[in-house]
Amino acid sequence: MKKLLLIALCLSATTLIAASERGEQLTDEKCTSCHMTSSSSTKLKNGEMGAPPMWGVMKKVKSHFKTKEDGVSFIVDYTMDPSEDKMIFPPAAKEHFGLMPSMKGSVTTEEMKLIAEYLYR
Ligand code: HEC
């Protein structure tokens, strides 16, 4: 019985790690072409920034929402269907960068959840 429990625990830990790795990979594929991360900073030089850097986005999201749950659901909702009235960035961000294009069709909601969870780590 104990052995079974141990196996179950190991399996769920592996699933968690796999989800986080998948989240990182998806973030690299889907977000960093616009949102600079430390791993993409060599790709994007000054002046080539198409969007606020990811750490800036996450700082904003984390200070705006009290719980991780709310922050994650905001990210999923906003990225799938961005609009000016949902923005937590000030209007200047939109004037400077333009509104973020919807990720619909490029990422599934499930994948976006993995991305948001990974960004919130
Ligand atoms: C084609 C460029 C582009 C891609 C790709 C992109 N974004 Fe954005 N994103 C933007 C721009 C521009 C803004 C700033 C304007 C705005 O808020 O809509 C932004 C803003 C945001 C915001 C803040 C929204 C607000 O104003 O409150 C979040 C959160 C965000 N992006 C998450 C993501 C995530 C997660 C991904 C990857 C799945 C991603 N973005 C991919 C361009 C992009």
Side-chain angles (χ1 to χ4, degrees):
M1 200 50 207
K2 257 193 190 146
K3 230 183 206 169
L4 264 182
L5 193 68
L6 210 71
I7 292 170
L9 275 176
C10 288
L11 278 179
S12 56
T14 324
T15 319
L16 271 179
I17 294 167
S20 149
E21 271 173 12
R22 180 89 182 108
E24 181 175 12
Q25 189 193 349
L26 282 165
T27 305
D28 275 352
E29 277 170 25
K30 310 290 184 186
C31 316
T32 55
S33 55
C34 295
H35 296 283
M36 190 170 82
T37 63
S38 51
S39 64
S40 64
S41 51
T42 42
K43 273 186 271 170
L44 288 164
K45 287 174 225 90
N46 273 345
E48 286 179 31
M49 255 201 294
M54 203 46 111
W55 60 263
V57 171
M58 288 316 291
K59 204 173 158 202
K60 194 84 192 157
V61 172
K62 282 178 178 169
S63 68
H64 195 269
F65 295 98
K66 283 200 184 71
T67 65
K68 174 178 174 179
E69 228 182 351
D70 288 350
V72 165
S73 55
F74 168 78
I75 294 173
V76 174
D77 179 60
Y78 189 85
T79 50
M80 290 311 214
D81 186 21
S83 77
E84 201 172 339
D85 48 278
K86 284 184 201 162
M87 275 180 80
I88 53 174
F89 271 128
K94 195 199 119 214
E95 278 149 34
H96 186 75
F97 297 111
L99 200 68
M100 176 170 159
S102 168
M103 291 279 116
K104 233 180 246 165
S106 152
V107 188
T108 66
T109 309
E110 278 313 306
E111 287 175 329
M112 192 55 86
K113 268 188 204 146
L114 287 179
I115 293 176
E117 297 269 348
Y118 165 72
L119 289 174
Y120 235 98
R121 74 204 179 282

